Amino acid sequence: MKLNKDYWERRYEENKLGWDIGKISSPLKEYIDQLKNKEIKILIPGAGNGYEVAYLVQNGFNNVYIADLARQPIENLQNRVPTLPANNFFYGDFFDLPNCKFDLILEQTFFCALHPKDREAYSLKMLELLKTGGKLVGLLFDFPLTEDGPPFGGSKEEYLEYFKSRFTINVLQRSYNSIPPRAGKELFFIFTK
Ligand SMILES: C[S@@+](CC[C@H](N)C(=O)[O-])C[C@H]1O[C@@H](n2cnc3c(N)ncnc32)[C@H](O)[C@@H]1O
């Protein structure tokens, strides 16, 4: 199975969106709610229907960028958040994103959607995309990694292998405020470049 554009576009066409919770998740909401500077440049990679994008914009963050390989969620977001300029939407592969620097990148069910062989490349690309002092923040699944996926699981120990030599690990712990279906199955993290 190739996790390419056709695969993801088909998932949207067939409405097989098991990851889509229909609203912003509580951990991301709580993190966003304590941000003071609304000017920061934020990227949401593999945004899907990106409920956190609408939430950010409603709360005065306008420097928000979206990347997704699938057309349908990009179009959905453009319709739902029409105040964001067209240039803030990148329809394409995250790994082809131009080297523009962000203050904050929010992760939610994008890492686990990639094949595990791409995890090292994900870490390197995040390093490239962040400003010095910029943060990669979000959620990583905490269940055993198997061949079955997406979503592909992983563990704190495994994730540290990809990130600890490149980022300061500020937080990587069991999320205390997960949505009920994910309780006990995800880690909240903050990594600083
Ligand atoms: C499991 S969904 C998660 C969507 C969203 N983050 C959420 O939590 O609802 C994974 C998303 O990543 C996108 N995606 C997968 N591989 C990608 C890649 N290489 N570059 C950009 N987007 C990608 C898919 O199209 C899909 O929208």
Side-chain angles (χ1 to χ4, degrees), residues 6 16 19 32 48 57 70 93 102 105 113 126 142 151 162 164:
D6 290 346
K16 291 186 176 154
W19 61 81
I32 290 167
V57 172
D93 193 329
F102 295 92
I105 304 181
M126 289 299 181
D142 187 16
Y162 300 117
K164 73 174 181 207

Side-chain angles (χ1 to χ4, degrees), residues 89-100:
F89 294 87
F90 178 79
Y91 168 45
D93 193 329
F94 162 76
F95 294 101
D96 295 333
L97 266 172
N99 188 0
C100 38

Side-chain angles (χ1 to χ4, degrees), residues 3-5 7-9 11-12 17-23 28 44-52 67-71 73 90-97 106-115 118 141 150-151 182:
L3 298 175
N4 56 16
K5 178 173 169 307
Y7 170 86
W8 289 105
E9 294 204 317
R11 296 283 303 241
Y12 284 94
L17 308 177
W19 61 81
D20 189 319
I21 61 173
K23 59 178 183 189
L28 287 189
I44 321 281
N49 282 317
Y51 303 98
E52 61 277 26
D68 206 288
L69 203 50
R71 183 178 289 282
F90 178 79
Y91 168 45
D93 193 329
F94 162 76
F95 294 101
D96 295 333
L97 266 172
L106 291 176
E107 163 60 52
Q108 180 174 262
T109 66
F110 171 52
F111 181 90
C112 70
L114 299 171
H115 191 279
D118 295 328
F141 277 129
R182 295 183 187 164

Side-chain angles (χ1 to χ4, degrees), residues 56-136:
L56 282 162
V57 172
Q58 279 157 16
N59 284 280
F61 296 87
N62 285 305
N63 210 356
V64 182
Y65 291 73
I66 291 97
D68 206 288
L69 203 50
R71 183 178 289 282
Q72 196 193 106
I74 291 271
E75 286 178 355
N76 291 347
L77 264 174
Q78 281 175 323
N79 290 332
R80 281 181 21 246
V81 194
T83 52
L84 278 185
N87 281 348
N88 291 31
F89 294 87
F90 178 79
Y91 168 45
D93 193 329
F94 162 76
F95 294 101
D96 295 333
L97 266 172
N99 188 0
C100 38
K101 303 285 189 189
F102 295 92
D103 298 291
L104 174 65
I105 304 181
L106 291 176
E107 163 60 52
Q108 180 174 262
T109 66
F110 171 52
F111 181 90
C112 70
L114 299 171
H115 191 279
K117 73 173 168 40
D118 295 328
R119 291 181 171 185
E120 187 74 14
Y122 171 104
S123 168
L124 285 166
K125 186 70 185 175
M126 289 299 181
L127 194 70
E128 176 193 313
L129 289 171
L130 283 168
K131 295 178 186 171
T132 302
K135 288 183 164 56
L136 172 62

